[in-house]
Amino acid sequence: MSAQVRPHPPDNDHSAPAEKRLRLQTDEVDLPTPSISITDPDLHHDQVQPKKHLKKAKKKPKHKLPDPYSSDDVLWRDVVSLLGEQDVARMTAEGTQWDAPLGFRDELEVVVSRLSSNGDALALAPEPHSPWVIVAPFALPGETIRVRVYRSSRLHSFADLLDVLSPNSELRDSSRVTCKYFGKCSGCQYQMLPYEKQLGIKRDVVIKAYQNFSNLPASAVPTVLPTIGSPKQYHYRTKITPHFEAPPKKARHDQGSNPTDGIKPDWLKIGFNQIGKRTVMDIEECPIATPVLNEAMGPIRENIINNIWSYKKGVSLLLRDSLDASTSVDADATTVDILSAQLEKHVCITDHKATVREKVGNKYFEFPGHAFFQNNNSILVPLTDYVRDAIFPASSPGFKQPTHLVDAYCGSGLFSIMLSPHFTTVAGIELSADSIKFATHNARLNNLPEGKCTFRAGDAANIFSVVSDFPREHTALIIDPPRKGCDANFIEQLLAFRCQTVVYVSCNVHTQARDVGMILERMKSVGEGGTRYVLESLRGFDLFPQTAHVESVAVLRLVEGGI
Ligand SMILES: C[S@@+](CC[C@H](N)C(=O)[O-])C[C@H]1O[C@@H](n2cnc3c(N)ncnc32)[C@H](O)[C@@H]1O
């Protein structure tokens, strides 16, 4: 029996490396630059050259290894785990780990063993190709699938899914798929899965990240709590960035200066990247985006079609869901009361410089269209409440009530402002001067007492000199860095600052695991004052339903005594 899976057309061009292919969540997947090196023996073997071979070392390496903590690196750990250390060690010693037993466009049947943390299915290649791993999208554990190989890497080959020959009926429910592009678009991976299963898979991603990337003993990592689901599982995404290419030379030549008359030329695709390809696919609606973004898509597409000949370069569009911010808010009139009167209408913002307005709980946030803001508004109250409850545990004997909050990587002030009623003093820092301007504005917009929240632009590590007079035992630190995580300087200063509670929120659990591992490990040797951090709790939040992404929240608490 075949399941409803749309096969790829036969003309796939898979020449692009996976990391170059844009995904829908482009802002969440800025690939990490490693700030702390890891000790993968294989990496060292291939990259560190003895001095006498310096000349050779300058040559481009034959095989490019993935950047540490990149999605390819995460996949590599999954591949090793599936093959087993023994086979991997043997093939590494034999130098056969790059010798793919399968060629371009080879077709084969495989049984899916498990999912990778990136959401792809992993299967062991059958004899005579084993040991080797096949990586394919949109398939589930236990399923027999037919695939076609398009690219090979170290110990694994990437393949298109051609057909699901025997679906896993306990997991796959094709009736759940609401998007006509699912199976081709690179934005979503899990629409065929019941939501509870998606949450379970994301919990496993958090568990695996700490096993593979934290360097911590199992005893130092608490049982990962169940993933908190998103109140909205569709129509939640408040920002999308579809893109399109400029007219190809030939089309320009053929068309001359004739207008399109509103008819979309065949070569013009406005949308997101196809799975496994560098090419854009045409997308007229996106069911994970909010209704106002979907409504705006039609007129925006029409405008591009009518004016396509004026584009000399490809364009990445911005569509952002905003409460109606068209009325300018002057400093004296910025009260929540005034806003409440005008607000509940949603509009689509397309200008990077325009002001976007969102409401979270009873607070309002404004920020520039180009700036970072969490993309799933529906889960922000549960998320910020969770962080608040972690900082103020219900009953903990001898617990010193926090009064001061440090918000590192604060953006336009989400955590600072949401949690401000619970603190006397709040200090935030953020690299983007624009976001800081808005964080300060947002404190006023929400009528916070003057001087309670202070925000400054700069590198996160600079915050520690600013808050050196905060009472450490009454201070909580929230960290919410970009995907690359914190740098070593920040972690060193955090260890010296040593406040009572650290809540680490991250959209990349792999760099979070690295950083938390580093904090706990370094604490052993720093040891000042007889205190150390423990990882008290760990859980995922599903900010990105239908996709393989997960937000992870780690709570670190300072405790007395050694290990
Ligand atoms: C994941 S966002 C979190 C923003 C905010 N906490 C929120 O939830 O809206 C990470 C933020 O870190 C900022 N950032 C990146 N590198 C930084 C650095 N070295 N120091 C301070 N902020 C940085 C980015 O500009 C971005 O606003």
Side-chain angles (χ1 to χ4, degrees):
M1 185 188 47
S2 282
Q4 289 282 305
V5 176
R6 291 169 197 89
H8 286 285
D11 61 341
N12 270 0
D13 163 18
H14 289 300
S15 51
E19 64 270 24
K20 290 240 171 83
R21 293 183 210 125
L22 294 172
R23 291 197 168 221
L24 175 62
Q25 282 76 19
T26 45
D27 53 341
E28 277 112 30
V29 287
D30 55 322
L31 283 178
T33 30
S35 46
I36 299 162
S37 68
I38 58 162
T39 51
D40 176 350
D42 200 20
L43 278 179
H44 284 288
H45 177 73
D46 285 6
Q47 291 180 331
V48 181
Q49 304 284 334
K51 263 191 180 162
K52 61 180 178 178
H53 294 313
L54 270 183
K55 259 193 175 166
K56 266 192 178 172
K58 279 187 187 161
K59 275 192 190 164
K60 214 176 152 205
K62 197 168 156 210
H63 299 294
K64 191 179 176 304
L65 292 169
D67 288 335
Y69 315 101
S70 65
S71 56
D72 279 355
D73 188 31
V74 170
L75 175 63
W76 163 247
R77 308 281 183 140
D78 286 331
V79 167
V80 169
S81 157
L82 181 58
L83 283 173
E85 301 279 348
Q86 229 175 344
D87 271 338
V88 175
R90 181 180 53 74
M91 291 173 79
T92 306
E94 288 169 356
T96 55
Q97 51 175 343
W98 295 93
D99 298 347
L102 291 151
F104 181 61
R105 296 180 75 83
D106 276 358
E107 289 187 18
L108 67 160
E109 271 180 37
V110 289
V111 179
V112 177
S113 302
R114 53 179 83 157
L115 290 176
S116 78
S117 292
N118 302 332
D120 287 321
L122 302 180
L124 287 168
E127 291 299 343
H129 311 299
S130 70
W132 200 257
V133 172
I134 302 295
V135 182
F138 308 120
L140 298 171
E143 295 185 330
T144 303
I145 56 174
R146 184 150 192 84
V147 298
R148 185 196 293 134
V149 170
Y150 64 83
R151 183 166 74 89
S152 289
S153 186
R154 191 173 38 154
L155 298 173
H156 61 286
S157 297
F158 295 92
D160 287 327
L161 177 66
L162 298 178
D163 207 354
V164 180
L165 302 171
S166 65
N168 179 341
S169 54
E170 277 177 27
L171 289 178
R172 183 180 290 275
D173 178 358
S174 298
S175 70
R176 290 178 175 274
V177 176
T178 62
C179 177
K180 60 182 174 188
Y181 308 108
F182 184 70
K184 288 185 202 152
C185 172
S186 59
C188 293
Q189 293 75 45
Y190 292 154
Q191 287 193 20
M192 72 304 214
L193 278 167
Y195 192 52
E196 284 308 311
K197 302 281 185 200
Q198 296 186 26
L199 297 180
I201 289 168
K202 293 185 187 197
R203 177 171 177 264
D204 292 344
V205 170
V206 177
I207 294 172
K208 231 182 335 152
Y210 275 75
Q211 283 167 355
N212 289 343
F213 291 97
S214 73
N215 267 323
L216 289 171
S219 58
V221 182
T223 302
V224 175
L225 297 165
T227 312
I228 301 288
S230 170
K232 284 187 185 167
Q233 292 144 30
Y234 279 98
H235 303 301
Y236 65 84
R237 209 180 149 85
T238 49
K239 177 187 167 195
I240 55 171
T241 54
H243 39 275
F244 61 93
E245 299 295 339
K249 266 192 194 141
K250 182 172 177 331
R252 242 183 234 289
H253 177 264
D254 293 351
Q255 178 75 11
S257 54
N258 296 329
T260 56
D261 292 331
I263 298 165
K264 188 173 78 59
D266 276 350
W267 52 262
L268 176 59
K269 315 280 179 203
I270 309 162
F272 305 121
N273 276 37
Q274 286 199 45
I275 187 81
K277 292 174 100 178
R278 217 180 343 188
T279 47
V280 183
M281 64 182 287
D282 207 45
I283 295 217
E284 291 172 326
E285 60 188 336
C286 173
I288 64 169
T290 62
V292 78
L293 302 190
N294 276 300
E295 281 157 28
M297 207 105 92
I300 289 172
R301 287 171 55 87
E302 211 170 289
N303 190 278
I304 293 164
I305 293 165
N306 286 331
N307 295 292
I308 189 62
W309 302 111
S310 64
Y311 290 96
K312 303 282 178 280
K313 284 186 190 161
V315 172
S316 200
L317 302 163
L318 171 74
L319 280 79
R320 238 178 157 148
D321 190 323
S322 170
L323 293 170
D324 191 353
S326 58
T327 316
S328 68
V329 182
D330 72 50
D332 297 330
T334 57
T335 67
V336 171
D337 290 344
I338 291 174
L339 285 170
S340 303
Q342 7 166 301
L343 274 186
E344 302 316 322
K345 187 174 162 224
H346 287 249
V347 293
C348 173
I349 298 281
T350 55
D351 180 353
H352 287 68
K353 290 187 184 149
T355 298
V356 179
R357 192 179 283 167
E358 287 203 29
K359 186 179 183 186
V360 183
N362 62 358
K363 302 272 188 289
Y364 290 96
F365 292 88
E366 293 191 346
F367 49 91
H370 64 80
F372 178 90
F373 199 76
Q374 305 287 356
N375 286 331
N376 179 352
N377 183 287
S378 79
I379 199 170
L380 295 184
V381 169
L383 175 65
T384 50
D385 281 357
Y386 183 82
V387 171
R388 179 203 61 204
D389 293 349
I391 294 171
F392 298 90
S395 61
S396 192
F399 185 74
K400 300 193 175 97
Q401 216 46 21
T403 52
H404 289 59
L405 175 66
V406 181
D407 185 4
Y409 311 89
C410 67
S412 53
L414 176 71
F415 289 106
S416 293
I417 289 170
M418 291 300 285
L419 272 55
S420 61
H422 308 282
F423 294 93
T424 58
T425 312
V426 178
I429 194 160
E430 154 69 46
L431 209 50
S432 157
D434 260 0
S435 292
I436 283 299
K437 205 174 87 191
F438 275 86
T440 305
H441 164 79
N442 289 334
R444 268 188 236 124
L445 189 65
N446 288 286
N447 288 327
L448 301 192
E450 200 61 35
K452 180 175 194 170
C453 296
T454 52
F455 297 102
R456 50 185 43 75
D459 180 66
N462 296 342
I463 196 68
F464 295 106
S465 57
V466 175
V467 299
S468 57
D469 60 342
F470 277 22
R472 314 289 165 91
E473 68 280 17
H474 293 283
T475 297
L477 167 65
I478 297 174
I479 318 172
D480 183 12
R483 287 188 69 80
K484 69 180 177 185
C486 305
D487 64 21
N489 179 32
F490 181 87
I491 289 180
E492 286 305 313
Q493 298 205 40
L494 177 154
L495 290 171
F497 184 64
R498 205 177 288 240
C499 64
Q500 185 193 41
T501 304
V502 178
V503 182
Y504 189 148
V505 180
S506 172
C507 59
N508 184 349
V509 66
H510 307 99
T511 50
Q512 183 196 58
R514 174 201 67 197
D515 293 347
V516 168
M518 182 92 168
I519 293 168
L520 265 57
E521 182 57 32
R522 286 279 296 113
M523 212 61 184
K524 273 201 237 161
S525 49
V526 177
E528 172 199 308
T531 55
R532 66 191 169 94
Y533 280 114
V534 291
L535 177 53
E536 190 180 273
S537 68
L538 195 52
R539 92 182 312 154
F541 269 75
D542 191 16
L543 267 66
F544 319 103
Q546 319 307 336
T547 81
H549 294 283
V550 62
E551 190 88 3
S552 173
V553 182
V555 179
L556 307 182
R557 201 85 68 186
L558 199 65
V559 297
E560 307 247 321
I563 297 165

